[in-house]
Amino acid sequence: MASVFVYGTLLESEVVRILLNRNPSSSPAVLRDYRRFSVNGCSYPAIIPEKNKKVEGKVLFGITDPDLRVLDAFEDFEYDRSVVEVSLMDQNQPRMLQSFAYVWSQKDDPRLEGEWDFDEWRKKYVEEYLKSVKEFREEYDASGSNGVQ
């Protein structure tokens, strides 16, 4: 089983539930030396390495290989699944954990601009986004990518 640090649309538990058909346990976490950006023309964010910055998010626990295949397909070619070290923030003392995170594959992409705001995204885009996630999952299941024939 793996863990995955999420920092954008996957902070919305309903997005995770649709993608994974469940809501895995999670913990608030911080990823240091990365920065979260808005992607011009998209409703989702990207992270890239940047010294002295940090990204707040959460870690999803108990992620199976089939879950990772769904997430890999969902994140598509724009992201690389990378191993990162995050600080879990749910205890009195932060605890470090190695986890996967989806890092933007083009760190010099001119579409990266400004900060991405989860609360703003929820207000403006969550309903439309949930529809597209449901469509993605239906297409994923129909394609046989999930190992079920």
Side-chain angles (χ1 to χ4, degrees), residues 93-129:
Q93 291 281 18
R95 178 170 65 100
M96 301 306 286
L97 173 76
Q98 285 205 333
S99 179
F100 289 122
Y102 288 89
V103 177
W104 197 250
S105 60
Q106 298 176 0
K107 67 177 182 163
D108 296 324
D109 190 328
R111 296 180 300 154
L112 300 181
E113 56 184 29
E115 292 289 327
W116 185 85
D117 183 274
F118 177 69
D119 292 328
E120 182 180 324
W121 173 82
R122 281 188 95 204
K123 289 177 192 168
K124 291 183 176 180
Y125 302 108
V126 72
E127 288 182 35
E128 180 182 325
Y129 198 80

Side-chain angles (χ1 to χ4, degrees), residues 63 74 140 149:
I63 303 301
F74 182 71
Y140 182 85
Q149 298 292 337

Side-chain angles (χ1 to χ4, degrees), residues 24-90:
S25 63
S26 64
S27 171
V30 173
L31 176 60
R32 300 196 189 291
D33 294 325
Y34 279 78
R35 182 173 172 196
R36 177 173 40 210
F37 289 90
S38 290
V39 180
N40 189 16
C42 302
S43 63
Y44 50 83
I47 60 171
I48 61 171
E50 187 172 320
K51 288 286 184 200
N52 302 314
K53 297 289 184 177
K54 68 179 182 179
V55 177
E56 294 182 4
K58 67 182 177 181
V59 172
L60 305 177
F61 296 106
I63 303 301
T64 64
D65 287 343
D67 293 337
L68 286 173
R69 286 193 290 275
V70 170
L71 294 171
D72 287 349
F74 182 71
E75 299 296 358
D76 209 8
F77 66 91
E78 294 178 311
Y79 296 89
D80 294 322
R81 181 172 18 121
S82 303
V83 175
V84 297
E85 189 168 72
V86 297
S87 300
L88 296 178
M89 307 306 288
D90 65 345

